[in-house]
Amino acid sequence: MSAFAARQKLLGLSAAAAAATTPSVDDNDNNGDIIDRNTSAKSFFTRDNFRKALQAQKQEPSDDVDDTPSARPRKRKQGPKDEVPTEARQVKSQLPNLSEPIPTGRRSIIYYSSQRFSQTNIQPKANGRMLLKLLDGERLVILGSYGIKVREGELTIAGAFLSKSGLVHWVQAPQCHALPVIRVTSDATIELHPHPGARSLRQLASLNPAFGKLWNESEDVAPGLPTFQIIFTSDDAPKRGGIQELVSPAEWNKQLADVLDSKKKATPVIFLSGPKSSGKSTFGRLMANRLITGSGLSRQPWAPVVVLDLDPGQPEFGPPSVISLNKLSSPNLCPPFCHPALDPTTAQLRAHTVASVTPSLDPDHFVACALDLFHTYKTNPSLNKLPLIINTPGWIQGTGLDILSELIRQTVPTEVIYMSQDGPEETVDGLKAACQEKKIPFIALPSQQPQGQPSSSVDATTPATSGGGGSSRTALHLRTMQTMSYFHLLFSSLTVPVPQGQGQSQSRPHPGPTWSSTPLTHLPPWRVRYRGPRPGFLGILCYDHQPAPDLLAEAINGMILALVKIEDRAGAFRDFPDLLVSSPQEQQHQQPKQQQQQHQSVQQQFKKQSPSQKLPPPELLICKTPRESLPHLPNPQGKTLSPAHSRVMGLVLVRGIDVKKGELQLLTPLPGEMLAEHEQDLVLVAGRFDTPSWAYAEDLHRRQWEKNNAAAARNKQQGLVLGGGAKMEIDEEEEEDDGNGDGDQSDETESVGADEVEERPERERVQALHGGTSEAQPWVEMLHGSQGRAAGSKVWRVRRDLGRR
């Protein structure tokens, strides 16, 4: 028998077997089975059966994704109207949950919200508001930016319980993150508001395509129109990618309930650890929201809550490379890039920079910074009575395990939660050993459901499944979005005074920040003097790599630096004995031994003096670069500033260096009053920050975005409908390390040197600020094909994984 004949025979046998095992449509109808995974769609998908399924789901809400505490089942009085019909219960038992895909013959339909609304349960209001009436057990999934106000009843969202009040809680739900699900625990009437900061956030897509295709709506949101969309089924979801719901497993819900019960025992200090992408940040956000709002009307909340954010690669509150201590008074219902900074006067209590997106740059300095933040919490009487949530990086092996073990021994939390039940065994044993030394409970929880593989392009088509979304971003993309969001942030929007709510112990939730969509190349920079009698900063200090003095200007130009404030000069530079001198003139004539003795005597004098009798700070040995005369602090041993006597104020981007005037041109979102404080010592710290290649291409993206919009407007007038945004194309070879691994950083991006930056007249920059377009050349130029290369030249690509097996 030939191979072709054998194949035909096998196919025939398979078809016969399938026909024998598959029941017919008539058999299913006669037996009363409504859904069978092996039947066709016609056997069950009828209007009456589907109506019965919806009725059954309304009467008995599903508990597979319920984030209410499992230890507290809700009891509801049932009357004649609330009794579930026997037929509906039978239909419910035979039907799968409606949040799962239902086969329809051609494709799968996913049901996200309980039902579609009609005029009886939805009422549009003025200014884009919307009034909805929801029954107990119903659920609602919304994509976009919105505010939610509960007029009657009670509901849960992202771990927070919201009940009747006059407060509006603001939510940012982009497609690149799991969408929070609104679940009604008691018949509720809610009011949805358009988000006031939605327009400015969507306009960032004109500067970087990573912010595009996130909201399933036009980036240009007109005032007074809704900034959100209710997702009922997968047909309402974005066509070029699915969405994912925020799921809280049963083990998570039980742990959240146990934390609330611990209020009777002691103040909870929760230490979160686990591998990368295991759900540490998500679980920490759910726990913080639950502690702030409590668990329904029967339990009092803990509000406010303190969060110690120790993940420099994916921080929750702040730009990458910054770890911070934050105080939250309202639920956190936004992803990190929607709040890249908090109000420094009330919310962000203290912060440090590790000058890298991974602790591997200097593990000892990272531990010292973390312990200083924890010391701030323990020694502050207004904070140490509040719950503390410690979120750690995903570096859990080798040196990363040593860091976690040391932090557990020093902080002594009430619970250590490990967000994985799959090991690795070495890490679990090491953390358990550290917990046993201090008799700390160790709890292992399941990891977060994966959100699917990130696509190489936002326009990539991904099947609409319940497990992931098509607009996922890698860790590098999320860091880029958060850094860009930070530099375009309007700091004045963080400190807008909001009156206190009536009868509320917590402050009214802030609508959130707003952003500027002007390219950074169009903004006039801060001109900071580094020459003269009163320079704006002490000098430049380099962590890790130490460039030669004559190459320092090229090393920092176009790069990100940290602005660090020195609180005590003698204490901050205690590891720099050669820099602390009485005067630069005496330093040139003293021996090394005499320098060390003088440094010790200066420190002893500072310890003996009271604050009122404190001596002037000692002078520093500041060197100058040979060409630009840039002040820098020699650091041949790669030492770091003491975190106990210094703190980071924010990040700056070096726009340029004016050698003639002796000025640095810096771009930063920090307000002028913070920079213009008198008698403060500031140091610019350089390290291993991510290269801000996104800043170099903002002007180029804006030009392309405007060109596409103009072309779309012309085509629309001609009767054609074309897209107006720039298509996002992400290099598939981009590094996907989130900064929590072994510390390897991608060096494939190129920085822009000083010769490539073209200074533009002040008139053109001001014109750009007022909406005008400038024809000046951008920082970078896009080359196509062999453009700009010599004849016969080739492009060499160097892969980082050569030799790996």
Side-chain angles (χ1 to χ4, degrees):
M1 182 182 296
S2 63
F4 179 77
R7 180 174 180 272
Q8 291 294 104
K9 185 177 180 179
L10 290 175
L11 291 177
L13 293 176
S14 300
T21 57
T22 304
S24 62
V25 175
D26 296 336
D27 293 338
N28 283 329
D29 292 340
N30 295 334
N31 295 335
D33 295 333
I34 297 185
I35 284 189
D36 191 336
R37 290 295 181 181
N38 295 326
T39 61
S40 61
K42 295 181 179 179
S43 63
F44 65 87
F45 198 75
T46 62
R47 180 177 300 177
D48 294 337
N49 292 336
F50 184 68
R51 178 175 50 81
K52 297 175 182 178
L54 286 179
Q55 183 180 5
Q57 188 185 32
K58 288 194 299 180
Q59 299 294 341
E60 291 184 352
S62 61
D63 56 355
D64 57 329
V65 293
D66 191 9
D67 65 352
T68 58
S70 59
R72 184 182 60 88
R74 294 187 56 86
K75 296 182 179 180
R76 184 187 178 192
K77 298 181 179 180
Q78 291 189 354
K81 297 182 180 180
D82 297 329
E83 294 180 357
V84 182
T86 305
E87 182 182 3
R89 290 182 180 274
Q90 182 180 3
V91 171
K92 171 65 178 179
S93 62
Q94 296 173 350
L95 283 172
N97 189 277
L98 291 182
S99 62
E100 298 179 355
I102 295 181
T104 60
R106 296 182 180 179
R107 57 186 177 85
S108 297
I109 296 180
I110 309 172
Y111 291 85
Y112 297 104
S113 300
S114 298
Q115 64 176 351
R116 291 186 178 273
F117 293 96
S118 60
Q119 296 180 356
T120 59
N121 51 16
I122 185 172
Q123 182 180 0
K125 295 289 185 178
N127 300 325
R129 294 178 298 149
M130 189 179 298
L131 188 66
L132 292 82
K133 295 183 178 180
L134 302 174
L135 300 179
D136 186 3
E138 291 187 341
R139 65 202 309 270
L140 199 63
V141 177
I142 302 178
L143 174 65
S145 309
Y146 59 96
I148 181 171
K149 177 181 179 180
V150 181
R151 289 191 170 186
E152 296 289 343
E154 185 186 54
L155 56 85
T156 65
I157 176 173
F161 274 77
L162 306 182
S163 57
K164 178 182 178 181
S165 68
L167 303 179
V168 178
H169 299 272
W170 300 99
V171 185
Q172 296 276 9
Q175 187 187 353
C176 60
H177 287 72
L179 302 185
V181 181
I182 300 175
R183 298 181 177 89
V184 181
T185 57
S186 178
D187 294 353
T189 300
I190 65 174
E191 185 175 297
L192 300 179
H193 293 247
H195 201 293
R199 178 182 175 89
S200 61
L201 181 60
R202 283 154 176 75
Q203 287 181 343
L204 293 181
S206 64
L207 306 178
N208 194 323
F211 286 91
K213 311 296 183 182
L214 296 180
W215 315 98
N216 197 28
E217 61 184 20
S218 175
E219 289 81 1
D220 190 10
V221 180
L225 295 180
T227 59
F228 54 88
Q229 177 188 4
I230 301 177
I231 305 298
F232 296 100
T233 67
S234 54
D235 293 336
D236 303 320
K239 303 304 179 184
R240 295 184 179 272
I243 62 175
Q244 182 181 6
E245 300 175 357
L246 180 59
V247 179
S248 178
E251 295 86 350
W252 291 21
N253 297 330
K254 184 179 184 303
Q255 186 62 31
L256 294 177
D258 294 342
V259 171
L260 287 176
D261 292 338
S262 66
K263 183 176 181 180
K264 303 177 182 179
K265 303 177 183 178
T267 303
V269 177
I270 311 300
F271 188 93
L272 300 179
S273 59
K276 297 182 296 184
S277 304
S278 60
K280 298 185 299 296
S281 299
T282 302
F283 183 74
R285 192 180 304 119
L286 295 178
M287 179 174 291
N289 294 342
R290 184 64 57 86
L291 290 172
I292 291 174
T293 61
S295 181
L297 302 177
S298 59
R299 301 187 182 184
Q300 295 297 325
W302 275 90
V305 174
V306 182
V307 178
L308 181 54
D309 191 2
L310 299 181
D311 190 354
Q314 301 289 339
E316 181 71 25
F317 306 103
S321 75
V322 173
I323 59 177
S324 58
L325 182 69
N326 309 277
K327 180 181 178 181
L328 304 182
S329 300
S330 59
N332 177 20
L333 304 176
C334 303
F337 74 89
C338 294
H339 46 72
L342 298 179
D343 186 359
T345 59
T346 59
Q348 190 170 89
L349 307 177
R350 190 173 179 86
H352 295 298
T353 180
V354 296
S356 176
V357 296
T358 171
S360 62
L361 179 66
D362 192 337
D364 294 335
H365 179 62
F366 173 80
V367 173
C369 293
L371 295 181
D372 176 74
L373 297 177
F374 180 76
H375 178 74
T376 303
Y377 163 79
K378 293 295 291 184
T379 57
N380 193 330
S382 62
L383 296 179
N384 54 21
K385 301 299 181 181
L386 302 177
L388 176 65
I389 300 176
I390 305 176
N391 186 29
T392 59
W395 190 16
I396 60 173
Q397 293 181 324
T399 308
L401 177 59
D402 298 337
I403 293 176
L404 296 178
S405 301
E406 180 65 20
L407 291 177
I408 291 175
R409 298 188 187 97
Q410 296 293 334
T411 59
V412 192
T414 57
E415 291 180 354
V416 173
I417 299 178
Y418 186 72
M419 301 299 299
S420 177
Q421 295 179 339
D422 302 325
E425 183 178 358
E426 177 187 357
T427 300
V428 175
D429 294 341
L431 295 179
K432 286 184 177 180
C435 293
Q436 290 177 358
E437 294 180 8
K438 301 294 183 178
K439 298 181 180 181
I440 303 172
F442 180 85
I443 303 172
L445 296 180
S447 300
Q448 185 181 22
Q449 183 180 1
Q451 298 187 15
Q453 296 295 332
S455 59
S456 59
S457 173
V458 170
D459 295 330
T461 303
T462 304
T465 64
S466 61
S471 292
S472 300
R473 303 305 199 255
T474 65
L476 179 60
H477 300 147
L478 294 177
R479 286 204 306 270
T480 299
M481 295 172 64
Q482 191 158 353
T483 307
M484 180 177 170
S485 174
Y486 173 80
F487 276 95
H488 285 271
L489 178 67
L490 298 178
F491 246 78
S492 58
S493 62
L494 300 178
T495 57
V496 176
V498 179
Q500 296 287 333
Q502 297 181 358
Q504 297 289 334
S505 60
Q506 61 183 4
S507 61
R508 185 179 298 270
H510 193 273
T514 55
W515 292 265
S516 170
S517 60
T518 304
L520 295 183
T521 53
H522 293 184
L523 292 176
W526 288 94
R527 296 161 51 188
V528 182
R529 186 187 305 109
Y530 65 82
R531 277 203 314 253
R534 296 181 59 185
F537 59 97
L538 293 177
I540 302 172
L541 179 63
C542 296
Y543 290 176
D544 191 43
H545 176 67
Q546 304 295 319
D550 55 343
L551 299 178
L552 180 61
E554 286 76 6
I556 67 172
N557 193 13
M559 300 299 291
I560 293 178
L561 306 179
L563 185 62
V564 178
K565 180 178 181 179
I566 305 301
E567 298 173 335
D568 183 1
R569 187 179 297 185
F573 290 94
R574 62 186 180 186
D575 294 334
F576 299 82
D578 296 336
L579 296 183
L580 287 174
V581 294
S582 58
S583 64
Q585 292 78 9
E586 296 180 6
Q587 172 66 22
Q588 298 176 0
H589 302 286
Q590 288 179 347
Q591 299 297 328
K593 185 176 180 179
Q594 297 176 352
Q595 297 175 10
Q596 185 176 2
Q597 294 176 354
Q598 182 181 9
H599 168 68
Q600 295 176 355
S601 62
V602 169
Q603 286 189 338
Q604 292 176 358
Q605 290 178 2
F606 268 75
K607 293 180 181 179
K608 294 179 180 180
Q609 295 293 333
S610 61
S612 59
Q613 300 176 349
K614 196 171 183 179
L615 296 176
E619 296 187 9
L620 294 173
L621 175 62
I622 300 177
C623 300
K624 304 286 186 179
T625 58
R627 291 182 298 178
E628 300 84 5
S629 297
L630 279 173
H632 69 96
L633 303 173
N635 188 17
Q637 298 180 355
K639 299 292 184 177
T640 56
L641 297 172
S642 173
H645 303 90
S646 63
R647 62 181 179 89
V648 67
M649 299 178 61
L651 301 183
V652 299
L653 175 62
V654 181
R655 175 64 175 81
I657 304 175
D658 192 337
V659 180
K660 294 183 178 179
K661 297 182 179 180
E663 296 175 347
L664 279 182
Q665 299 177 358
L666 304 179
L667 296 172
T668 180
L670 298 176
E673 51 270 17
M674 292 181 60
L675 303 176
E677 293 182 4
H678 297 288
E679 298 182 359
Q680 63 175 349
D681 292 342
L682 301 179
V683 174
L684 294 176
V685 175
R688 204 190 298 173
F689 298 93
D690 283 341
T691 303
S693 55
W694 51 267
Y696 312 149
E698 283 186 352
D699 188 80
L700 186 65
H701 284 304
R702 170 57 70 88
R703 292 170 182 269
Q704 184 65 32
W705 182 79
E706 293 176 350
K707 184 184 300 183
N708 292 347
N709 281 348
R714 291 193 301 266
N715 293 334
K716 188 175 182 180
Q717 294 178 355
Q718 299 174 1
L720 301 178
V721 180
L722 297 177
K727 181 179 179 181
M728 178 181 182
E729 296 181 356
I730 302 176
D731 190 1
E732 297 180 356
E733 298 180 0
E734 281 186 303
E735 187 68 32
E736 297 185 6
D737 177 32
D738 67 348
N740 297 330
D742 55 0
D744 293 340
Q745 303 298 323
S746 176
D747 297 329
E748 298 175 3
T749 56
E750 297 180 0
S751 61
V752 177
D755 297 335
E756 301 178 52
V757 180
E758 179 179 352
E759 288 292 337
R760 302 191 304 166
E762 184 70 16
R763 177 182 57 83
E764 295 183 1
R765 290 202 295 263
V766 174
Q767 181 183 3
L769 285 175
H770 291 278
T773 58
S774 174
E775 298 299 331
Q777 294 295 328
W779 282 10
V780 294
E781 182 181 2
M782 183 177 294
L783 302 179
H784 303 277
S786 61
Q787 182 182 0
R789 302 192 184 103
S793 61
K794 296 182 179 180
V795 178
W796 294 89
R797 291 184 176 271
V798 179
R799 299 184 60 87
R800 299 186 62 190
D801 58 351
L802 292 178
R804 296 183 182 178
R805 295 179 179 267

